[in-house]
C-alpha cells in the first residue's frame, strides 16, 4: 500500500512503533493490534493472527491459539423479563476467543451474564460463548451448562438464564443455578423428558444453547 511503518500504524490507530517492535525486536503482538492492522491494510480476516502463530518448525499452540470472533448479542439474567434475549445489532460488541475445534463451522454467539444466579461459575459481567442446540443437532448432556429461555405465560416476554443441565434417577430433567445467593438456588424441573426436545418448547421452557466457553475480567 506504499505506506511506511509509521504511516501504517497511524492508519491502524495503533502505537507508532507497533510494527517495528514486532519486526525488529520480536515482540509478541497483541491480538487487537493485529485486528486493527488487518483492517487498515485490507488484509484477509485472520491473516496476521494466523501468521503470528507460526514460526519455523513451531506449532501454533506453542505461542497462542488461533483466535476467532463472536458477537455479544444479548444478556442473560435470572428474574428479569424482556421481549427478547437479543439486543439490536447496533448494540452488539465483539469478543475474541480461542478456536476450540468442537462444532466446526457452527456460529458462536456471546451473551453477557448479569446478576448473581450463576456467580459460582460466571460472575456478573462475564461473557459466555454459546452454540445453539438447533445448530449442533443434539440434546444437552448431563453436567453441561446451557442457556434456558422461560416464557411468561401471561405476556410474550422471556427470562433468559444460564443453568447446569442434569437428570435424576427418575428421569427428570433438572436445571440448576450455581449461585451463592439464596434466592437463586431453586432449580427448574421438567418432570417428563419424553415430551422434551431442545429445539421445542416444553410448557414455557426452551433450552436454547450450549455454553462452550466464557470470558471475564479479573477483579
Amino acid at each position: 500500500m506504499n505506506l511506511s511503518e509509521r504511516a501504517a500504524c497511524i492508519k491502524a490507530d495503533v502505537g507508532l512503533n507497533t510494527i517495528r517492535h514486532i519486526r525488529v525486536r520480536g515482540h509478541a503482538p497483541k491480538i487487537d493490534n493485529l485486528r486493527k492492522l488487518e483492517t487498515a491494510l485490507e488484509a484477509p480476516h485472520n491473516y496476521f493472527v494466523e501468521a503470528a502463530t507460526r514460526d519455523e518448525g513451531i506449532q501454533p499452540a506453542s505461542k497462542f491459539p488461533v483466535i476467532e470472533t463472536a458477537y455479544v448479542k444479548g444478556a442473560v439474567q435470572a428474574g428479569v423479563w424482556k421481549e427478547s434475549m437479543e439486543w439490536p445489532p447496533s448494540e452488539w460488541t465483539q469478543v475474541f476467543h480461542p478456536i476450540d475445534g468442537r462444532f466446526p463451522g457452527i456460529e458462536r454467539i456471546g451473551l453477557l451474564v448479569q446478576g448473581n444466579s450463576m456467580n459460582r461459575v460466571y460472575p456478573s459481567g462475564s461473557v459466555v460463548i454459546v452454540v445453539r442446540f438447533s445448530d449442533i443437532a443434539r440434546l444437552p448432556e448431563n453436567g453441561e451448562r446451557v442457556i434456558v429461555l422461560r416464557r411468561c405465560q401471561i405476556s410474550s416476554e422471556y427470562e433468559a438464564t444460564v443453568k447446569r443441565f442434569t437428570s435424576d434417577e427418575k428421569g427428570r430433567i433438572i436445571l440448576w443455578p450455581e449461585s451463592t445467593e439464596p434466592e437463586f438456588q431453586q432449580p427448574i424441573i421438567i418432570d417428563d423428558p419424553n415430551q422434551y426436545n431442545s429445539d421445542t418448547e416444553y410448557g414455557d421452557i426452551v433450552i436454547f444453547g450450549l455454553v462452550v466457553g466464557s470470558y471475564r475480567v479479573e477483579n
Side-chain angles (χ1 to χ4, degrees), residues 114-132:
Q114 298 176 326
N116 294 321
S117 64
M118 284 290 285
N119 66 353
R120 290 185 184 274
V121 185
Y122 310 123
S124 186
S126 302
V127 172
V128 291
I129 308 299
V130 177
V131 295
R132 299 175 182 87

Side-chain angles (χ1 to χ4, degrees), residues 52-123:
T53 66
R54 295 193 298 268
D55 203 344
E56 297 179 3
I58 299 177
Q59 296 299 317
S62 67
K63 285 192 172 181
F64 53 80
V66 178
I67 302 297
E68 62 183 354
T69 303
Y71 284 93
V72 181
K73 295 186 175 182
V76 288
Q77 184 174 8
V80 176
W81 297 84
K82 300 178 181 178
E83 291 184 359
S84 174
M85 174 183 67
E86 191 168 300
W87 299 331
S90 61
E91 297 180 12
W92 294 356
T93 58
Q94 290 180 321
V95 63
F96 302 115
H97 62 93
I99 297 175
D100 63 17
R102 296 174 295 172
F103 314 117
I106 299 299
E107 181 189 15
R108 267 75 165 162
I109 64 172
L111 295 171
L112 176 66
V113 178
Q114 298 176 326
N116 294 321
S117 64
M118 284 290 285
N119 66 353
R120 290 185 184 274
V121 185
Y122 310 123

Side-chain angles (χ1 to χ4, degrees), residues 139-140 173 193-202 205-207:
L139 300 177
I173 291 170
N194 294 321
Q195 298 182 40
Y196 162 74
N197 185 288
S198 65
D199 196 28
T200 304
E201 293 181 356
Y202 172 78
I205 300 292
V206 177
I207 300 185

